[in-house]
Amino acid sequence: EAPLEPKVADTQFWTAEAGHFEEFWHLRIITVGRQFCIPLLFYISGASFALGKGFLGPFFLKLGAITLIGMALNWGLFSLGPQDPDCDFNSREQPKCQKGIVLDFLLAPHAGTIFPVVYQFWFTIALMFFMVEDFMLYAQLRIAYAGHRLQVHYLVLRFVLVSGIYVAMTFEALQWPQKLELVVCEALVMVCLVLSMKAASRATPEVPSIEGRVWQ
C-alpha cells in the first residue's frame, strides 16, 4: 500500500528517509531523547521528594502556583497571536495568520487551542498527578527509613490504583494483552519495592546495617 500523505510538515520524519530530509534529523533526535530524559526527570523529582522531609500540601501549593502562573503567561502569548492552530512560523505570512494583535504565528501550532496554553507545563501537571498516585508509597518509604514495620496493604492498594489508571488511560489505545503486560510489569516493580523496603527498614539512623543501607 502507498504511504499516507503527512498532514503536517513536522510529521514527515516518520515516513521520510534521513538522507532525503536532513532538516528533520533534529526531530528524530528529540523523539529518541525524550524516551530517556522525560522518565528520568520524573524519577528524579519523585525520588527527591520521597527522600526529603516535605509534605504533599506545600508541594502542591508551590508546584500548582508555578503551573498556574506559567499557563497564564502562555495564555497571554496565545491571545496575542492569531489563535489559529494552523499558523506556524512558516505560514505566518498567510492572511489568516495576520489577525494576531502582536504575533502572526503560534509557539505551539497544529496542537489545537488547549495545548498552546498548557504547553511545557504538562510536565508539572503530570508530576502532581504522579505524586497523588504515589503518596502511599512515599509514606511507606519514610516508615521503612524510620525502621518501623511496613504496612504492605497500602502498597497493594497503590498497585490496584495504578493498574486501574493504566487500564483507563489506555482503554482505546491498547489491546487487553498489552494492558495485562503493563499490569504485570507494575506488579513486578511493586514486588521489588516491597522486598527492598523491607531490607531498608532494617537500617535506622540509630542502628545502621550494611544490607539496609545498600538497599536505601
Side-chain angles (χ1 to χ4, degrees):
E1 296 181 3
L4 297 177
E5 287 293 328
K7 296 181 180 179
V8 182
D10 290 344
T11 64
Q12 291 183 7
F13 72 98
W14 290 113
T15 58
E17 293 294 333
H20 299 159
F21 296 89
E22 295 182 359
E23 65 271 23
F24 296 119
W25 258 112
H26 68 286
L27 292 176
R28 293 172 180 258
I29 295 173
I30 290 174
T31 302
V32 173
R34 283 175 178 169
Q35 312 308 312
F36 299 94
C37 294
I38 293 178
L40 182 61
L41 289 174
F42 278 126
Y43 176 82
I44 293 173
S45 300
S48 300
F49 180 85
L51 296 174
K53 297 181 179 180
F55 296 95
L56 284 179
F59 170 85
F60 280 111
L61 183 62
K62 294 176 182 178
L63 198 58
I66 293 173
T67 302
L68 290 177
I69 294 172
M71 289 176 59
L73 294 174
N74 287 343
W75 176 82
L77 289 174
F78 179 75
S79 300
L80 294 174
Q83 302 183 28
D84 188 327
D86 294 328
C87 291
D88 55 24
F89 186 79
N90 295 327
S91 60
R92 64 188 184 280
E93 296 181 358
Q94 296 182 7
K96 65 179 181 179
C97 298
Q98 300 299 317
K99 300 178 181 179
I101 301 174
V102 176
L103 303 174
D104 52 8
F105 64 94
L106 295 183
L107 297 180
H110 311 296
T113 57
I114 297 178
F115 184 76
V117 177
V118 178
Y119 204 29
Q120 67 271 44
F121 292 97
W122 72 266
F123 179 82
T124 56
I125 294 174
L127 184 58
M128 289 188 287
F129 177 81
F130 289 142
M131 295 299 283
V132 171
E133 174 186 282
D134 281 338
F135 74 96
M136 288 179 286
L137 175 61
Y138 298 141
Q140 294 304 307
L141 283 171
R142 291 173 178 173
I143 288 176
Y145 179 77
H148 301 305
R149 184 176 181 180
L150 291 178
Q151 297 173 309
V152 180
H153 59 280
Y154 283 119
L155 297 176
V156 174
L157 177 60
R158 183 259 180 196
F159 164 72
V160 173
L161 291 175
V162 173
S163 298
I165 292 172
Y166 284 164
V167 173
M169 295 186 69
T170 60
F171 189 77
E172 295 183 356
L174 299 178
Q175 300 295 326
W176 279 105
Q178 296 171 311
K179 294 184 179 70
L180 182 60
E181 290 179 8
L182 290 175
V183 173
V184 171
C185 289
E186 182 63 28
L188 293 175
V189 170
M190 288 305 302
V191 170
C192 293
L193 279 173
V194 170
L195 294 176
S196 62
M197 289 166 67
K198 281 185 172 295
S201 64
R202 299 176 185 176
T204 66
E206 294 77 17
V207 186
S209 69
I210 296 178
E211 180 185 5
R213 287 305 185 191
V214 168
W215 277 109
Q216 288 181 349

